[in-house]
């Protein structure tokens, strides 16, 4: 996928997330997501990070956390999440079209975040909101490609397994099979254990470990 297409899809997905958030009740904003320790509000703040926090500012926060990227991302998300829900939705819509190209990550980073984090908040709330199947194919192609983002895929997670989608003509690898929907495969690869029971095949135990 070229950069133009990535930017366009990211814009569409940000608007989709904003629509979902705009329809939530106040209590749902405080509900847990699939991201450990983050509520829906924290996740909304995180999705605003690429468009509101430049690389230089992110580095300054990282220095305060001694270079710990996870701690830095968490701190930024929590600070942005202090805004009221209506403001978070307004900002997400207003910056939906921002074409962000983070250093070392590139536009695939924000794009992938919109896909995965939409389901991170929608699944626990029992919401069907999802990105198109073509987006999940792109996410899986990236995860199984030569240089997946280390923040998305732990080293070795693909070792000894192959993947097959049950809702699309997509597969990867020739080892012990893991089969499931495109969404479940992507979430499973990125460490969302809640989907493992939805996956089948001899490779599931390897993925679980």
């Amino acid at each position: 996928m070229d950069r133009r297409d990535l930017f366009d899809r990211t814009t569409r997905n940000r608007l989709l997330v904003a629509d979902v958030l705009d329809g939530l009740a106040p209590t749902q904003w405080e509900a847990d997501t699939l991201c450990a320790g983050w509520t829906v509000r924290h996740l909304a703040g995180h999705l605003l990070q690429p468009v509101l926090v430049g690389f230089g500012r992110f580095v300054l926060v990282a220095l305060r956390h001694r270079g710990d990227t996870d701690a830095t991302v968490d701190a930024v998300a929590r600070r942005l999440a202090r805004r009221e829900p209506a403001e978070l939705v307004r900002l997400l819509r207003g910056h939906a079209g921002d074409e962000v190209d983070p250093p070392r990550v590139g536009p695939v980073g924000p794009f992938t975040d919109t896909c995965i984090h939409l389901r991170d908040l929608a699944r626990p709330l029992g919401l069907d909101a999802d990105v198109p199947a073509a987006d999940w194919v792109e996410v899986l192609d990236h995860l199984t490609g030569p240089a997946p983002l280390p923040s998305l895929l732990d080293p070795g997670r693909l070792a000894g397994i192959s993947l097959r989608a049950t809702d699309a003509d997509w597969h990867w690898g020739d080892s012990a099979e893991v089969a499931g929907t495109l969404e479940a495969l992507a979430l499973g690869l990125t460490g969302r254990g809640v989907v493992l029971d939805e996956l089948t095949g001899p490779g599931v135990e390897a993925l679980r470990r």
Side-chain angles (χ1 to χ4, degrees):
M1 184 188 301
D2 63 25
R3 290 164 55 87
R4 177 73 270 146
D5 199 16
L6 275 175
F7 288 138
D8 289 345
R9 293 192 190 198
T10 303
T11 295
R12 181 204 61 211
N13 291 348
R14 286 181 182 140
L15 291 172
L16 174 58
V17 173
D19 287 344
V20 172
L21 292 174
D22 201 23
L24 298 183
T27 55
Q28 290 177 306
W29 278 85
E30 309 308 322
D32 291 334
T33 68
L34 298 186
C35 297
W38 277 2
T39 65
V40 170
R41 186 191 289 259
H42 295 136
L43 201 47
H46 174 65
L47 286 169
L48 284 168
Q49 177 189 313
V51 297
L52 295 185
V53 180
F55 182 69
R57 182 178 169 194
F58 186 86
V59 169
L60 288 176
V61 179
L63 290 174
R64 292 200 291 271
H65 291 275
R66 300 182 179 181
D68 187 326
T69 301
D70 288 342
T72 303
V73 169
D74 182 68
V76 172
R78 291 179 185 278
R79 184 170 69 244
L80 293 173
R82 294 172 186 168
R83 293 172 166 83
E84 289 300 312
E87 176 70 0
L88 292 170
V89 171
R90 186 189 68 79
L91 287 169
L92 195 56
R93 284 199 177 116
H95 290 275
D98 288 12
E99 297 181 355
V100 182
D101 189 0
R104 298 183 310 218
V105 175
V108 72
F111 163 73
T112 303
D113 265 6
T114 61
C115 299
I116 293 174
H117 289 323
L118 170 61
R119 296 305 295 155
D120 281 337
L121 68 90
R123 265 182 169 258
L125 293 174
L127 302 177
D128 294 330
D130 199 354
V131 298
D135 284 12
W136 287 121
V137 169
E138 185 65 27
V139 170
L140 287 167
D141 283 345
H142 172 70
L143 293 174
T144 57
L149 298 176
S151 60
L152 294 174
L153 188 71
D154 288 342
R157 185 162 285 164
L158 291 170
I161 66 171
S162 64
L163 306 169
R164 179 177 61 83
T166 56
D167 57 346
D169 183 16
W170 185 92
H171 68 277
W172 173 87
D174 56 5
S175 299
E177 184 180 87
V178 177
T181 64
L182 293 165
E183 179 233 15
L185 291 174
L187 293 182
L189 287 181
T190 54
R192 277 68 177 170
V194 69
V195 305
L196 292 177
D197 288 341
E198 300 174 21
L199 303 174
T200 61
V204 173
E205 286 308 311
L207 184 59
R208 191 183 300 273
R209 290 193 296 270

